[in-house]
Amino acid sequence: MGDVIRTTPLVVKYRELYENVHFTWLTDFPDVLPPSDIQDILKPTAFNLEKIKNRTFDIAINLDKEEEACQLLADVDANEKYGFIWNNGHLDAATPAAEHKIITGLFDHISIKNTKSYPEEVFEICHLKFNLEEYLLNYNKSIAEKWQGLLKEKANGRKIVGLNTGCGNRWLTRLWPNDYWIQFINLLDHDKVLPVLLGGPQEDEKNTWLAKQTQAWYPGTFSLEEFISLTSNLDAVVTQVSMMMHIAVGHKTPMVLMNNIFNKHEFEMYNRGVIVEPETGCDCYYGNKCKRSRSCMFDLRPETVMNEVNQLLKI
């Protein structure tokens, strides 16, 4: 889902380049794409795949390295094709501009040297220049207004800071220790800040516990639509690398991003946030199991995160 959200700057760019441009976007995550900007948002059903194969496009883009997606780019009728394509039974670059992204996906020792953000990379793949075109993100304005009222009443004039405490199961090496969340929340100036615990069903037990240990408010778990709408009302977000990171960028919300296992240059912050990392670095590039006896995330101190939040909020 995150890759879908952070690819949307391409829509902004093509709108600048062409009048009356018509977009067709095939994705497993249609709910995050705004229908006001993208005319055809399709799920990859058999019917929709046939529909796409029977259309003619000026430009076709595939940024997914899975075989099915690459085969579709090979099959589709388009004047220009960018990204990843299926060629002679294997993944290939549709143009030489996509070769670097294939190589960085295969070799960590090359990937770790990359200094470009993900949007910058995908723009290059499409033979475009990235000029900080913003993300597009779909959310329910009525639900957002409901939460705006609830959060304002709860905050009573304080800044509202969302604390996204989970990171999914794929790379648990990203998790910040629970004790550090407690220390961090207790360090915040609660006369000026309302900390709001965020997460999905996986974090429900943890967030319920954290709320009992601190003065943070935990509103519960919600559907994706309500979660995205709720988070449109935050003054700042603290999160590990996760879906929340992409949502915050989509909402243009200032963010403190905790990173350890990824290349920090990959994340485009649009000058609205800061990336903090363990003082001792990390030995597990894209690793899902920590090599150390004590996770490097213990070396990302609560005081460091608190200071960055205060600077973002200017308090």
Side-chain angles (χ1 to χ4, degrees), residues 61-158:
I61 299 167
N62 170 44
L63 300 171
D64 187 337
K65 294 173 186 161
E66 293 296 325
E67 179 178 344
E68 295 82 356
C70 294
Q71 285 184 335
L72 182 60
L73 185 64
D75 293 340
V76 75
D77 182 8
N79 297 325
E80 301 174 25
K81 296 184 181 183
Y82 301 113
F84 310 123
I85 200 166
W86 203 250
N87 184 24
N88 290 326
H90 62 80
L91 168 69
D92 201 356
T95 73
E99 290 176 355
H100 180 71
K101 193 65 175 170
I102 292 177
I103 291 170
T104 56
L106 293 172
F107 303 106
D108 284 351
H109 70 284
I110 297 176
S111 171
I112 204 169
K113 295 176 182 175
N114 177 50
T115 58
K116 296 176 181 175
S117 70
Y118 182 86
E120 191 176 359
E121 286 186 293
V122 299
F123 270 56
E124 283 189 359
I125 288 172
C126 297
H127 299 196
L128 300 169
K129 182 171 176 53
F130 179 61
N131 288 312
L132 294 177
E133 286 80 4
E134 294 279 0
Y135 288 19
L136 300 174
L137 180 62
N138 184 48
Y139 66 99
N140 187 310
K141 305 297 188 296
S142 296
I143 296 176
E145 288 177 7
K146 177 194 75 174
W147 277 103
Q148 183 182 46
L150 289 170
L151 287 165
K152 276 190 173 181
E153 181 179 353
K154 191 77 178 176
N156 192 26
R158 295 176 289 173

Side-chain angles (χ1 to χ4, degrees), residues 209-260:
W209 178 76
L210 286 173
K212 290 179 180 176
Q213 305 300 315
T214 67
Q215 296 183 53
W217 182 49
Y218 176 48
T221 62
F222 308 97
S223 66
L224 177 63
E225 179 186 37
E226 182 136 16
F227 183 82
I228 295 177
S229 303
L230 182 163
T231 54
S232 68
N233 297 292
L234 304 175
D235 293 304
V237 166
V238 178
T239 181
Q240 297 133 135
V241 175
S242 65
M243 180 182 70
M244 182 66 244
M245 171 190 71
H246 302 292
I247 292 172
V249 176
H251 285 316
K252 302 181 178 63
T253 304
M255 172 171 49
V256 177
L257 176 62
M258 295 187 279
N259 174 57
N260 59 337

